[in-house]
């Protein structure tokens, strides 16, 4: 069980709204009341009737908040919060002990934010802040890489071993692991909400990542990519682990590069990872053991640790074929794959292996030729010629959120039988809508996403992916991204 608590950060523009949001945070162990954006601030009203311990924070614009009322006014707000019995107030560290600390040190969270990166004097800063005798020291620094998190974890764990209360966080995409694995960063609590870059929604933190159940023995998996903050893979794999009661968690791992990932994976004993853009090819070139499909395509989408080595495989081909072949008989069809990247290679290998006459059409001839060489397909003209296909596969990102009003082909050239769009967000792309109007049958990319994720899960766990769990998780994940 996690020792770290969940602190839900709530922001609002009115005191009433702040109180309502505070009371809605029923899963929190404590709440951080961000009063800096409240226009009609009544500190006593914000604290009155609370059922959880509260931290009152009034962060200035300069420190990443929205308070611009001047230092005197800010001091008055903090003093009022202390007078009204707030369990904690947050005071920004300015390099020397603040006179307010002396009297109320056991109710102070002394915080320092660095939005530019990890300062070289991080440990010194921690010790200077700690020497003030405050209850909690909070250090939040922008993480530019996963490896930036390693010294944060060392510092936090040391603090916990010494019986000190600290929260040491990496902000931004690469920092997400420090929020979810807060226990491994020695944090007394993890801030959840949407107040800082990389903060995780409280409901996601508790339900999807099972924050309260994580312990030192929990196995860690993740999706390696850049960016991966909106990846749907954590929703699927975490739901899968929960369904089979596996003590494991799956995180978004936004790495600076492949070295960064492997360094972090060793430091945090990562058991396995999905690999997504832009790292599939480089990861393949770095692992010794890869499956035949990975070798053929020269790209992998899954890693598994075997003692001190990594095994890799590519299940994009099987993931692509499964929804297609389970629904359609494509023997003797002519296929056109639009695009010539990793997904186009996987799709064309699958189609050629299934005996389908396949053409690759891409805006860059050299790339189309390379994809054709890998798969045994031929190169077609670009734009796609009329009456040249039965199955059209979109393996470009065209039509993906936020460019939802774009399509890789004009509606007038949708003259075949089936259109398979590998884009999965949105689940119904403009291409698919237009294809339906033109009388084609359609297949979206969500099913491929689910199919390849299930294969990864089975490879890692040796257990069949539980029925409908991945499908439900991905649909819910997509709906919450849309919100
Ligand atoms: P990639 O390696 O970057 O390849 C993208 C391809 O699309 C390249 O050939 C690129 O051409 C071409 N392209 C990009 N913009 C274009 C445009 N405006 N017009 C024409 N061609 C364009 O990406 P990928 O990994 O193959 O992924 C491609 C798509 O498939 C993405 O949307 C991804 O989300 C989706 N996908 C889905 C799944 C799934 O499970 N459903 C799995 C993998 C990928 P240039 O080289 O000239 O830029």
């Amino acid at each position: 069980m996690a020792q770290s608590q969940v602190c839900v950060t709530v922001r609002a523009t009115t005191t009433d709204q702040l109180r309502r949001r505070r009371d809605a945070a029923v899963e929190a162990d404590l709440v951080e009341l961000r009063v800096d954006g409240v226009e009609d601030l009544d500190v006593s009203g914000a604290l009155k009737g609370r059922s959880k311990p509260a931290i009152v924070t009034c962060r200035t614009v300069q420190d990443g908040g929205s308070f611009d009322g001047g230092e005197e006014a800010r001091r008055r707000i903090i003093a009022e919060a202390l007078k009204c019995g707030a369990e904690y107030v947050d005071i920004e560290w300015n390099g020397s002990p603040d006179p307010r600390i002396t009297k109320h040190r056991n109710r102070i969270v002394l915080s320092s934010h660095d939005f530019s990166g990890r300062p070289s004097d991080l440990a010194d800063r921690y010790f200077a802040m700690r020497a003030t005798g405050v209850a909690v020291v909070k250090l939040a620094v922008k993480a530019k890489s996963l490896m930036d998190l390693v010294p944060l974890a060392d510092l936090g764990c040391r603090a916990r071993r010494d019986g000190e209360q600290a929260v040491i966080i990496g902000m931004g995409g690469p920092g997400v692991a420090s929020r979810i694995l807060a226990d491994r960063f020695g944090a007394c609590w993890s801030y959840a909400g949407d107040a800082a870059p990389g903060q995780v929604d409280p409901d996601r933190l508790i339900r999807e990542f099972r924050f309260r159940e994580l312990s030192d023995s929990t196995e860690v998996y993740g999706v390696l990519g850049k960016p991966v903050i909106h990846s749907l893979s954590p929703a699927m794999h975490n739901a899968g682990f929960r369904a089979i009661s596996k003590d494991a968690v799956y995180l978004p791992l936004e790495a600076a590069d492949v070295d960064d990932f492997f360094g972090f994976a060793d430091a945090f004993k990562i058991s396995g990872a999905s690999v997504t853009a832009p790292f599939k090819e480089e990861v393949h070139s770095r692992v010794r053991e890869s499956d035949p499909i990975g070798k053929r395509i020269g790209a992998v989408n899954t890693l598994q640790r075997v003692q001190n080595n990594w095994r890799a495989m590519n299940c994009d081909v099987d993931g692509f074929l499964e929804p297609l072949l389970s629904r359609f008989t494509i023997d003797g069809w002519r296929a056109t794959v639009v695009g010539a990247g990793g997904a186009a290679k996987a799709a064309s290998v699958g189609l050629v292996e299934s005996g389908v006459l396949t053409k690759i059409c891409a805006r860059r001839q050299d790339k189309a030729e390379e994809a054709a060489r890998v798969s045994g397909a031929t190169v077609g003209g670009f734009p796609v010629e009329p009456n040249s296909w039965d199955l059209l596969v979109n393996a470009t990102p065209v039509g993906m959120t936020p460019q939802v009003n774009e399509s890789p082909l004009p509606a007038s050239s949708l003259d075949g039988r089936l259109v398979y769009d590998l884009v999965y967000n949105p689940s119904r792309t403009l291409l698919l809508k237009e294809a339906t109007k033109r009388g084609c049958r359609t297949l979206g990319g969500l099913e491929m996403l689910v199919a390849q994720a299930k294969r990864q899960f089975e490879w890692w766990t040796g257990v069949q992916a539980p029925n409908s769990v991945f499908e439900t998780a991905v649909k819910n994940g997509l709906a919450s991204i849309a919100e």
Side-chain angles (χ1 to χ4, degrees):
M1 284 297 160
Q3 289 180 47
S4 307
Q5 295 187 313
V6 176
C7 176
V8 174
T9 299
V10 292
R11 296 188 298 169
T13 51
T14 67
T15 301
D16 188 45
Q17 192 182 44
L18 190 72
R19 214 172 19 225
R20 276 188 277 115
R21 290 184 179 169
R22 175 199 77 184
D23 293 343
V26 287
E27 305 265 18
D29 296 302
L30 69 167
V31 286
E32 181 188 35
L33 302 174
R34 283 287 299 266
V35 298
D36 44 285
V38 179
E39 286 157 12
D40 63 345
L41 182 60
D42 165 10
V43 177
S44 156
L47 286 163
K48 209 168 176 179
R50 68 189 180 284
S51 59
K52 315 263 178 189
I55 307 169
V56 173
T57 301
C58 184
R59 188 103 50 232
T60 63
V61 172
Q62 185 197 341
D63 292 327
S66 45
F67 189 75
D68 58 3
E71 190 51 23
E72 263 320 296
R74 192 165 85 114
R75 280 172 184 256
R76 275 200 302 277
I77 291 168
I78 295 297
E80 176 77 1
L82 287 165
K83 199 173 105 206
C84 294
E87 282 72 13
Y88 297 102
V89 295
D90 183 301
I91 296 179
E92 193 82 17
W93 167 250
N94 62 7
S96 60
D98 186 301
R100 284 170 292 177
I101 289 173
T102 332
K103 209 162 147 207
H104 301 285
R105 55 169 62 112
N106 61 347
R107 291 163 70 196
I108 284 175
V109 177
L110 187 60
S111 64
S112 165
H113 295 78
D114 197 324
F115 294 93
S116 61
R118 178 168 58 85
S120 54
D121 67 342
L122 187 79
D124 291 345
R125 192 178 294 191
Y126 176 79
F127 295 123
M129 292 166 75
R130 171 54 60 205
T132 60
V134 292
V136 179
V137 170
K138 176 190 177 194
L139 275 173
V141 303
K142 182 182 164 81
K144 293 180 180 163
S145 65
L146 293 170
M147 283 302 281
D148 268 350
L149 304 182
V150 174
L152 308 189
D154 290 346
L155 197 55
C157 288
R158 179 174 162 174
R160 182 178 275 182
R161 268 198 309 276
D162 291 346
E164 298 163 1
Q165 293 210 94
V167 185
I168 302 184
I169 312 161
M171 292 186 287
V176 172
S178 69
R179 299 181 184 278
I180 299 168
L181 302 179
D183 240 8
R184 291 182 202 198
F185 286 74
C188 54
W189 56 69
S190 182
Y191 290 90
D194 64 358
Q199 252 190 24
V200 182
D201 173 78
D203 195 51
R204 253 195 107 189
L205 189 68
I206 293 168
R207 282 184 225 301
E208 183 178 316
F209 295 104
R210 292 189 289 164
F211 181 83
R212 296 194 192 283
E213 293 160 45
L214 305 181
S215 71
D216 284 350
S217 56
T218 303
E219 274 191 73
V220 181
Y221 293 80
V223 51
L224 157 65
K226 188 180 169 181
V228 280
I229 199 98
H230 293 303
S231 169
L232 293 168
S233 296
M236 288 189 283
H237 287 291
N238 284 319
F241 290 149
R242 178 198 285 272
I244 65 163
S245 302
K246 185 174 170 65
D247 183 15
V249 65
Y250 182 103
L251 315 173
L253 297 173
E254 182 177 312
D257 52 36
V258 169
D259 280 330
D260 182 38
F261 168 74
F262 282 121
F264 177 82
D266 284 344
F268 279 80
K269 306 210 168 12
I270 304 292
S271 302
S274 312
V275 184
T276 184
F279 299 126
K280 287 182 181 183
E281 289 173 8
E282 200 183 338
V283 167
H284 170 260
S285 70
R286 298 284 295 274
V287 292
R288 277 203 216 126
E289 209 185 313
S290 178
D291 72 332
I293 294 281
K295 282 187 191 141
R296 179 167 169 191
I297 296 180
V300 292
N301 72 335
T302 318
L303 278 171
Q304 182 175 35
R305 181 189 286 282
V306 185
Q307 284 148 4
N308 286 330
N309 280 317
W310 293 96
R311 295 203 284 157
M313 70 140 176
N314 188 320
C315 56
D316 278 338
V317 174
D318 287 344
F320 166 79
L321 285 177
E322 195 178 297
L324 181 64
L325 300 185
S326 66
R327 204 119 11 111
F328 301 94
T329 307
I330 56 174
D331 290 352
W333 282 23
R334 299 159 304 152
T336 285
V337 176
V338 184
K345 282 182 193 161
S348 49
V349 164
L351 290 167
V352 170
E353 295 288 300
S354 311
V356 177
L357 208 58
T358 306
K359 271 187 197 165
I360 297 185
C361 300
R363 61 183 178 183
R364 282 163 61 186
Q365 184 77 5
D366 58 328
K367 289 279 174 190
E369 280 165 10
E370 186 199 322
R373 200 168 47 247
V374 164
S375 61
T378 56
V379 176
F382 190 79
V384 176
E385 289 151 19
N387 300 315
S388 62
W389 52 271
D390 301 295
L391 164 65
L392 180 97
V393 178
N394 175 34
T396 77
V398 181
M400 194 162 83
T401 302
Q403 272 81 43
V404 292
N405 295 323
E406 292 179 12
S407 172
L409 263 75
S412 57
S413 56
L414 299 174
D415 51 17
R417 295 199 226 187
L418 170 64
V419 175
Y420 186 176
D421 196 342
L422 304 193
V423 171
Y424 51 81
N425 183 13
S427 53
R428 289 288 293 165
T429 57
L430 179 62
L431 173 67
L432 294 185
K433 288 180 195 160
E434 289 182 339
T436 303
K437 277 194 208 145
R438 302 277 302 180
C440 304
R441 300 188 67 187
T442 60
L443 186 55
L446 218 46
E447 290 185 48
M448 171 178 173
L449 184 74
V450 170
Q452 56 84 34
K454 283 180 166 177
R455 282 172 195 262
Q456 296 178 324
F457 183 85
E458 287 162 9
W459 200 52
W460 291 328
T461 63
V463 176
Q464 201 178 356
N467 231 352
S468 78
V469 167
F470 278 55
E471 289 81 354
T472 306
V474 87
K475 276 181 194 140
N476 292 344
L478 208 51
S480 67
I481 291 174
E483 268 172 32

